[in-house]
């Protein structure tokens, strides 16, 4: 069986830059995003773009997956800096904001994201469920989160918040709605305080 040769460092940088630029371009221009302009903004030729991503669809899928993986990776970063309950709350804020940012790409992908067995759908779901699972379990063990809450339930609630906030988006792009709705969701997710215990906002601001 032929061995897969590792990607050279310069090729890897080109690919990463293309994905970064493509995600921004698709978010800004939707399906009208120019592949030639994406290549130009990434500082590479169109030939390099097509070597990495033979079609618009493959570029769109990779850009979407890259954004979701970056959001998932933030789970470990915030867990290293915050107490378990605060880490979960902060990541949920970032997750909701990220979902709103990529909703245009998701709409463009259509069935490539939502169909059963889709590679993109499976990969996105797997990395988010794993990240949520780690934070949810840690928050439960620390007594900051209800024991009867499942990670998938948290993800579905955040998805609902992102959807509702997008529908209510105003001049701020829906960020105020995200904060308000997540605050209400978090109040329902937190472990119940003992009677008489002082109320403390686990996520100031």
């Amino acid at each position: 069986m032929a061995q897969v040769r590792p990607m050279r460092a310069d090729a890897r940088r080109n690919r990463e830059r293309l994905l970064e630029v493509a995600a921004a371009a698709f978010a800004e221009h939707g399906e009208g995003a120019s592949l030639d302009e994406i290549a130009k903004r990434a500082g590479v030729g169109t030939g390099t773009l097509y070597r990495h991503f033979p079609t618009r669809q493959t570029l769109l899928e990779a850009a979407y997956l890259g954004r979701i993986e970056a959001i998932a990776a933030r789970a470990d970063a915030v867990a290293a800096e915050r107490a378990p309950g605060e880490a979960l709350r902060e990541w949920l804020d970032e997750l909701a904001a990220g979902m709103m940012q990529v909703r245009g790409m998701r709409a463009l992908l259509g069935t490539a994201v939502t169909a059963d067995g889709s590679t993109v759908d499976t990969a996105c779901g797997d990395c988010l469920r794993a990240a949520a699972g780690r934070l949810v379990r840690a928050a439960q063990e620390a007594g900051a989160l209800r024991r009867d809450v499942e990670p998938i339930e948290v993800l579905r609630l955040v998805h609902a918040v992102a959807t509702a906030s997008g529908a209510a988006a105003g001049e701020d792009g829906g960020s105020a709605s995200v904060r308000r709705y997540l605050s209400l969701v978090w109040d329902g997710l937190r472990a119940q305080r003992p009677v008489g215990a002082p109320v403390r906002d686990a996520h100031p601001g």
Side-chain angles (χ1 to χ4, degrees):
M1 183 175 63
Q3 292 185 341
V4 178
R5 298 171 63 180
M7 190 179 296
R8 298 198 320 261
D10 58 339
R12 185 171 60 252
R13 286 193 296 270
N14 286 340
R15 186 180 190 278
E16 292 171 353
R17 179 60 180 158
L18 280 167
L19 290 177
E20 178 183 350
V21 171
F26 284 125
E28 181 179 357
H29 301 293
E31 61 184 358
S34 165
L35 298 189
D36 288 344
E37 184 62 23
I38 288 173
K40 181 179 179 180
R41 288 170 58 185
V44 303
T46 54
T48 297
L49 184 152
Y50 285 112
R51 277 196 299 274
H52 286 289
F53 309 104
T55 67
R56 176 183 293 268
Q57 183 72 10
T58 57
L59 176 59
L60 180 58
E61 290 177 4
Y64 180 83
L65 179 57
R67 282 294 177 93
I68 296 299
E69 288 178 336
I71 295 170
R74 284 287 301 156
D76 292 330
V78 295
E81 300 171 354
R82 301 281 189 271
E86 295 171 347
L88 176 60
R89 175 62 198 272
E90 181 171 327
W91 186 71
L92 295 184
D93 285 348
E94 294 187 15
L95 176 60
M99 284 182 171
M100 291 182 66
Q101 290 170 358
V102 302
R103 65 183 184 271
M105 283 193 287
R106 183 182 177 91
L108 289 176
L109 282 166
T111 56
V113 174
T114 59
D116 291 340
S118 165
T119 300
V120 176
D121 187 44
T122 301
C124 290
D126 287 348
C127 68
L128 288 180
R129 281 191 293 271
R134 292 192 296 274
L135 293 182
V136 165
R137 300 310 179 203
Q140 288 172 330
E141 291 173 4
L145 189 72
R146 289 170 45 167
R147 288 281 184 177
D148 61 339
V149 173
E150 294 295 330
I152 189 62
E153 294 174 324
V154 175
L155 290 177
R156 288 170 178 164
L157 287 169
V158 175
H159 180 267
V161 164
T163 300
S165 299
E171 293 182 357
D172 66 352
S175 59
S177 296
V178 166
R179 290 193 297 271
R180 169 63 176 165
Y181 297 158
L182 277 182
S183 177
L184 295 174
V185 168
W186 184 248
D187 283 344
L189 291 174
R190 286 188 300 184
Q192 295 298 310
R193 297 183 301 273
V195 176
V199 177
R200 187 177 75 87
D201 189 354
H203 189 76

